[in-house]
Amino acid sequence: DIQMTQSPSSLSASVGDRVTITCRASQGLSNNLAWYQRKPGKVPKLLIYATSTLQSGVPSRFSGSGSGTDFTLTISSLQPEDVATYFCQKYNSAPWTFGQGTKVEIK
Amino acid sequence: EVQLVESGGGLVQPGGSLRLSCAASGFTVTSNYMSWVRQAPGKGLEWVSVIYSGGSTFYADSVKGRFTISRDNSKNTLNLQMNSLRVEDTAVYYCATERPLGYWGQGTLVTVSS
């Protein structure tokens, strides 16, 4: 099975900073990679699918990129409401494995 | 509007069984991918199982042979039969639909403890 390795596990940044989270697959995924945001006490929310397509209603400061085995979620200007844990997920074929998560905090 | 409502969680002893259900509205469960995802206390998201619209089923290695995913078309529900439960199965279980997971229920807590 393909393993998903996400980094860093946590980060602290200032409001307005550019934040980058990476997700590495042990084998190629084509573009079947999604990103989710999990705020405390809330249900996970799909942010990006097909590597770079923004889900409806997601702010444009979020973007995704990558191909093959290396993928990136970028927040161009971190906002206080972005405090959350972010997960990548492969869904090209089962198992639809998640990355371990990246906890984003405000410095 | 798509809605998913899980039920069936609770406290069960190790080795016991539990059946989770997820009532869907706004769409038919046979028309889309239906999944179960769990989150153990202090841990990340763990994908558990999926049933494709065509009926194919897949499981995480951690639950294979113990959990069974199914659909009840007459009730428009997704089910998860969980047998031989272990302490490490303790988690909030979410049902979700689409590929990837665009809609999620609120979750139901399963606690496996003696």
Side-chain angles (χ1 to χ4, degrees), chain A residues 38 43-44, chain B residues 4-9 20-21 36-37 91-95 104-110:
Chain A
R38 178 69 186 279
V43 172
Chain B
L4 299 166
V5 179
E6 301 94 336
S7 60
L20 305 184
S21 292
W36 288 98
V37 174
V92 175
Y93 285 73
Y94 299 93
C95 74
W104 297 64
Q106 291 299 311
T108 186
L109 176 63
V110 172

Side-chain angles (χ1 to χ4, degrees), chain A residues 40-107:
Chain A
K42 299 284 191 178
V43 172
K45 173 186 174 182
L46 177 64
L47 292 178
I48 289 170
Y49 61 95
T51 299
S52 59
T53 303
L54 223 57
Q55 178 77 334
S56 175
V58 174
S60 59
R61 62 181 179 274
F62 290 93
S63 64
S65 63
S67 64
T69 61
D70 294 313
F71 302 87
T72 299
L73 171 69
T74 300
I75 307 173
S76 61
S77 177
L78 186 67
Q79 300 301 305
E81 60 266 32
D82 299 335
V83 169
T85 302
Y86 294 84
F87 296 88
C88 62
Q89 184 197 30
K90 64 170 281 289
Y91 59 94
N92 58 322
S93 62
W96 294 2
T97 309
F98 287 95
Q100 303 95 318
T102 297
K103 187 174 184 179
V104 174
E105 297 175 322
I106 300 290
K107 193 182 295 182

Side-chain angles (χ1 to χ4, degrees), chain A residues 26-47:
Chain A
S26 58
Q27 298 175 40
L29 300 179
S30 65
N31 74 333
N32 294 317
L33 191 284
W35 291 94
Y36 300 85
Q37 177 190 62
R38 178 69 186 279
K39 292 184 177 182
K42 299 284 191 178
V43 172
K45 173 186 174 182
L46 177 64
L47 292 178

Side-chain angles (χ1 to χ4, degrees), chain B residues 70-88:
Chain B
S70 64
R71 299 175 303 205
D72 185 330
N73 301 345
S74 65
K75 296 180 180 179
N76 205 33
T77 60
L78 175 73
N79 300 307
L80 186 69
Q81 178 66 41
M82 305 186 296
N83 299 330
S84 303
L85 282 161
R86 305 168 180 168
V87 170
E88 55 265 35

